[in-house]
Amino acid sequence: MGDWLSTLRRKAELRERAGLRRELRPRAGDDALIDLAGNDYLGLSRHPEVRAAAASALDEYGLGATGSRLVRGSTDAHTALEIALAGWLGAEQALVYSSGYLANLGAVRALCGPRTLLVSDAHCHASLIDGCRLAGAETVVFAHGDPADAARVLAAHPGRPAVVLTESVFSVDGDLAPLAELHAAARAHGALLLVDDAHGLGVIGRAGAGGAVAAGIAGEPDVIVTATLSKALGGAGGVVAGPQALIRHLVDTGRTFIFDTALPPAITAGVGAALELARAGDPLRAVLHERAAAIRDVCRAAGLAVTDPAGGVVSVEAPSAEHAWSWAGACRDKGVAVGCFRPPSTPDSRSRLRLTVNAGVPAADFARALEIIVEVRP
């Protein structure tokens, strides 16, 4: 009976040798590390208006939603947030989930029929990959950020219903998908386009409305947008936005919606307050983009391989998984939190530090963090 435990221990040893061990590192509320690891891009998670909205809803509704959205979990706060999200994203309707991961699983599954072809960017997030697996549909991966290759795949399967899957700002390297071109390629072959806007929402586009708005394709009947509410909006939850018929289908049939406890009302209300701040947050976005460019410039001046950021994510290549782990640890020891991305969290075999901008970090702390990252590099 202990053989399965021995197998797990052996696998853990192999991961340790390959530099792929992961650890949970609890942080205190007064954690003093300079944050270049979290996704609170606009620094809204602690904004007084966000906290006040959450506290008021906590008093009104209590701690949890007490049930799924279709049982007792839907509140006025959920409805208000969905209306605001649909308007911001330029979509007919929006549906709030308890996480962006579940939103992606549910959206991909809902778009699939018996013959559907899923055409997925090579760098798509794990939640989209798992959505493809859950859907059980044939999936073909196209070259990262390459609309011509996506068109080639679609042309090779004429007459089949298809969905092209991409992120807007990619979660690992922070580069921007050519959304207008991908949409044109999808439409030319009668396919849908699903855009995961997790790292674009609040960060790019008019009034921070995300990648689909920036590309001029928001509200098109063949475009579906998903996002998490845990990044630029500083909270938790997810959203699917698109045609009303899709939202109706998700409410009626979507297992990751129907059978999941709803997002707590306090978080829902806090996210709603954050959305209004983000919509009016052009000065914060300006700081974010300036700092992302500064990370790129400082790292390149130091001879490091670094990506061109489209939003708040900047990727700095590490020599190996072991070096990425030790580099991140050295940064932490010096008071800076950075992301350490190694396989399988990366879409290729390369390991990286992933640096994320928080516009709420004091300027002096941000400058010091960059100095430390360069100083302790492998």
Side-chain angles (χ1 to χ4, degrees), residues 265-319:
I267 295 177
T268 306
V271 168
L275 185 155
E276 297 307 320
L277 292 165
R279 197 198 296 255
D282 284 347
L284 290 174
R285 275 184 285 279
V287 170
L288 181 145
H289 289 292
E290 289 169 6
R291 290 185 176 183
I295 294 173
R296 176 199 62 204
D297 294 345
V298 167
C299 289
R300 282 190 181 159
L304 296 168
V306 62
T307 56
D308 282 314
V313 177
V314 190
S315 175
V316 186
E317 190 168 346

Side-chain angles (χ1 to χ4, degrees), residues 47-102:
H47 192 285
E49 292 181 29
V50 172
R51 294 165 67 181
S56 176
L58 183 65
D59 286 342
E60 182 176 358
Y61 293 105
L63 180 60
T66 76
S68 69
R69 290 288 307 275
L70 290 168
V71 178
R72 288 281 290 172
S74 286
T75 67
D76 294 342
H78 292 84
T79 300
L81 179 57
E82 287 168 344
I83 292 170
L85 283 166
W88 195 27
L89 294 167
E92 277 189 8
Q93 205 164 338
L95 188 66
V96 166
Y97 286 69
S98 65
S99 75
Y101 209 107
L102 290 178

Side-chain angles (χ1 to χ4, degrees), residues 342-362:
R342 300 158 291 162
S345 299
T346 58
D348 50 33
S349 60
R350 294 179 296 137
S351 294
R352 307 146 165 85
L353 291 193
R354 193 188 74 163
L355 310 179
T356 48
V357 177
N358 182 330
V361 170

Side-chain angles (χ1 to χ4, degrees), residues 5 110 218 254-255 312 316 323 329 360 365 372:
L5 293 174
R255 295 174 68 84
V316 186
H323 282 101
D365 287 349
I372 289 170

